[in-house]
């Protein structure tokens, strides 16, 4: 099942069910006014939304309309929590070199995760307003999950079973501000402006074999100003999403609608390219002796789209957005 | 003006206006159903709420009732963001020794701040469910502010002018988990379970001379299991709240209702005692050569109440809550 949220000026926006082909949509308002309400009442809302999706695919959903990704907000325009890991250790090890920060304790065995702002997410085609090019504007292509309720101290198995929806994320980062915030020990704050999401959130079953071992088994194809930047594969994630969600819930309960991210998708093979500029820069330094790539300028665009192993486009739709001066 | 939120099982809870004496209350529902709605419409809601408060104080508010702090949730049971600083440098310097973490860069000139969970706050008399005594259960007495909207890159002066309400906070901490999260650079997550608030949020004018230079000029009297623990003064805060809010808004806009905390109130004078156990422990080690105080056990209680310089109780009411096994 594919779900999305339209922009209508309200904080949560109206929920729509999207057809399997991603071309048609129908309002979910008869079942739940918005996605957060559906998630809070998932045992009732999910079967009703699936029945509506079936009717939409069969051409029997009254009031259906052409689905327009440009009219979409993030699937959850705001969420109770947004917790982003760094679960691709290849990326983390490279970033230690990029930021000249000390090795993270237990990095191979305990996930690292920061709490991000969750009140003001960006839609897939929204402008990204930022204050200064000097802050080192960077994209970060990721996958993530939206959870149902998770009890405090849940096991990874319980946590994985609480995954309701899978999403595709651009976790905007300001690289000039990151190292000092890391060295403070208090974590990222100014370095992490509003995060953006692809238009369509999908139930795990919709991914078929591309949801396996608690990981999104797809490549994330990233283009910067129309040029290929990388297409690392999500299957190389070193912790699975159940482990990440359980880490988040170690000392707190998670209410329905919390979002947990993978961190930047990253592969050991250099041929995969990168899903963020900072990683390419440190690879340039390691492999070629000097950094050749700058960060983003106002007016630049980034495009991200998940790709299945057979070359077909993934189900999340496209993130394609420009950076602008705030 | 004094505002509070009752517990009724809904996520935001009903708003009440509290009398100047803190003894009577009246529903604010005719003006705004809950505090977050009032904050989003503050230019209209504030004068109407003040008129209702005046009527309550004059004994002319129909439907008023005895105010029961035990019936209260946090003033905002959930908020768009919760951003907690460490603005008492005396505390921060001691904690560097307690955690054996390296000195924070620019600690004297740039605030440090972590993003906390803001979806599940505790009321002033709620049980505090936690998974394990071995995590090093600690309280942290703080002051904080609830803001109206703040633009990205606002100045400290603009940010200070956006302060709508002042609050008193117990930022629960798990000290066994903090050092590794600091050393990861990603900041506190498992080390910070749900945060608790005193029942009454007050407008800055209500504080009179105790709101001065962007600081809460009161002592925070802390008792652990009925014994005096400390009463450090809020006036020693090294950054004022306008500077803290502006730091938070450097690369993001803040929507109405974001909460910014001072970090643990702490004074250079040893006679003031401490507002958290970890600070007392490191002082014991420095002054007496060994740590004598353990962390909290299940069943322990902490009580926090702000005190004016003339010895009268502050306006926020009391936090008094026990730690329990989750």
């Amino acid at each position: 099942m594919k779900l999305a949220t339209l922009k209508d000026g309200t904080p949560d926006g109206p929920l729509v069910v999207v057809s399997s082909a991603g071309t048609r949509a129908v309002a979910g308002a008869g079942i739940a006014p918005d996605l957060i309400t559906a998630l809070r009442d998932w045992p009732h809302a999910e079967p009703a939304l699936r029945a509506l999706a079936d009717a939409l695919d069969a051409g029997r959903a009254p009031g259906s309309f052409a689905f327009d990704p440009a009219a979409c907000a993030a699937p959850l325009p705001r969420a109770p929590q947004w917790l982003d890991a760094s679960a691709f250790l290849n990326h983390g090890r490279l970033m230690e070199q990029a930021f000249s920060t000390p090795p993270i304790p237990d990095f191979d065995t305990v996930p690292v995760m920061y709490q991000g702002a969750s009140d003001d997410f960006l839609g897939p085609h929204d402008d990204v307003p930022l204050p200064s090019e000097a802050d080192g504007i960077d994209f970060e292509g990721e996958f993530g999950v939206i959870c149902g309720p998770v009890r405090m101290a849940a096991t990874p198995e319980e946590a994985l079973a609480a995954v309701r929806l899978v999403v595709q994320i651009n976790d905007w980062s300001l690289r000039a501000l990151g190292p000092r915030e890391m060295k403070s020990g208090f974590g990222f704050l100014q370095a992490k402006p509003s995060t953006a999401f692809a238009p369509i959130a999908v139930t795990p079953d919709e991914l078929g074999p591309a949801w396996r071992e608690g990981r999104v088994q797809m490549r994330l194809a990233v283009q910067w100003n129309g040029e290929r930047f990388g297409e690392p594969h999500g299957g190389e994630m070193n912790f699975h999403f159940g482990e990440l969600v359980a880490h988040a819930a170690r000392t707190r309960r998670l209410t329905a609608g919390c979002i947990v991210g993978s961190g930047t998708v990253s592969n050991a093979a250099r041929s995969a390219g990168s899903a963020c500029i900072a990683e390419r820069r440190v690879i340039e330094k390691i492999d070629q002796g000097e950094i050749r790539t700058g960060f983003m300028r106002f007016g630049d665009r980034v495009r991200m789209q998940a790709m299945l192993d057979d070359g077909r486009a993934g189900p999340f739709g496209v993130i394609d957005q420009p950076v602008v001066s705030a």
Side-chain angles (χ1 to χ4, degrees), chain A:
Chain A
M1 179 167 58
K2 297 180 171 180
L3 302 173
T5 295
L6 301 182
K7 291 196 273 195
D8 74 344
T10 63
D12 295 309
L15 172 66
V16 298
V17 175
V18 181
S19 64
S20 291
T23 53
R24 304 285 298 171
V26 63
I31 299 160
D34 44 52
L35 182 52
I36 190 69
T37 302
L39 288 161
R40 290 193 188 116
D41 189 34
W42 197 244
H44 296 100
E46 186 197 12
L49 291 168
R50 284 187 186 274
L52 183 57
D54 290 343
L56 179 64
D57 283 341
R60 290 184 288 96
S64 75
F65 50 90
F67 178 64
D68 177 12
C72 286
L76 281 179
R78 59 178 179 175
Q81 295 189 48
W82 157 229
L83 302 153
D84 197 18
S86 181
F88 290 84
L89 300 190
N90 185 66
H91 172 73
R93 295 292 184 214
L94 288 168
M95 289 305 295
E96 285 175 5
Q97 296 182 57
F99 279 0
S100 301
T101 46
I104 293 173
D106 309 318
F107 192 50
D108 293 345
T109 53
V110 181
V112 296
M113 189 175 284
Y114 80 91
Q115 181 122 26
S118 62
D119 63 326
D120 198 21
F121 292 136
L122 297 171
H125 299 288
D126 288 349
D127 287 355
V128 183
L130 292 171
S132 171
E133 290 177 344
D135 290 339
I137 301 168
D138 199 358
F139 46 83
E140 288 192 52
E142 308 192 1
F143 296 109
V145 295
I146 302 177
C147 299
V150 181
R151 71 173 180 92
M152 188 186 294
T155 65
E157 294 69 30
E158 285 175 71
L160 190 59
V163 170
R164 299 282 183 260
L165 297 164
V166 184
V167 292
Q168 181 194 315
I169 298 168
N170 182 6
D171 183 48
W172 286 99
S173 286
L174 300 172
R175 300 302 189 180
L177 305 175
R180 196 189 62 221
E181 292 190 328
M182 286 196 84
K183 286 170 190 162
S184 81
F186 279 56
F188 303 117
L189 187 82
Q190 295 181 341
K192 294 291 182 178
S194 291
T195 302
F197 289 75
I200 302 174
V202 302
T203 50
D205 63 285
E206 181 81 23
L207 300 187
W211 177 248
R212 197 171 65 247
E213 298 172 348
R215 294 163 172 86
V216 179
Q217 307 283 349
M218 296 186 209
R219 294 192 173 277
L220 187 54
V222 179
Q223 294 180 341
W224 177 13
N225 290 335
E227 293 190 8
R228 180 256 184 194
F229 200 80
E231 55 286 311
H233 196 278
E236 268 185 44
M237 194 162 76
N238 295 74
F239 299 96
H240 67 66
F241 276 109
E243 292 170 310
L244 299 184
V245 173
H247 181 87
R250 164 76 170 74
T251 62
R252 63 181 71 177
R253 62 179 179 177
L254 304 181
T255 57
C258 289
I259 307 174
V260 176
S262 66
T264 306
V265 180
S266 178
N267 293 168
R270 292 286 201 260
S271 58
S274 294
C276 74
I277 299 171
E279 187 180 295
R280 173 183 278 190
R281 284 163 56 93
V282 72
I283 289 172
E284 286 172 345
K285 190 168 180 188
I286 294 167
D287 292 356
Q288 303 170 46
E290 63 177 352
I291 295 169
R292 300 179 176 196
T293 305
F295 289 110
M296 293 181 87
R297 310 296 297 266
F298 293 138
D300 282 7
R301 302 187 71 90
V302 66
R303 184 184 194 279
M304 297 181 178
Q305 181 172 32
M307 304 299 293
L308 294 162
D309 287 345
D310 62 10
R312 288 178 301 139
F316 309 106
V318 172
I319 293 172
D320 187 356
Q321 53 184 174
V323 174
V324 301
S325 178

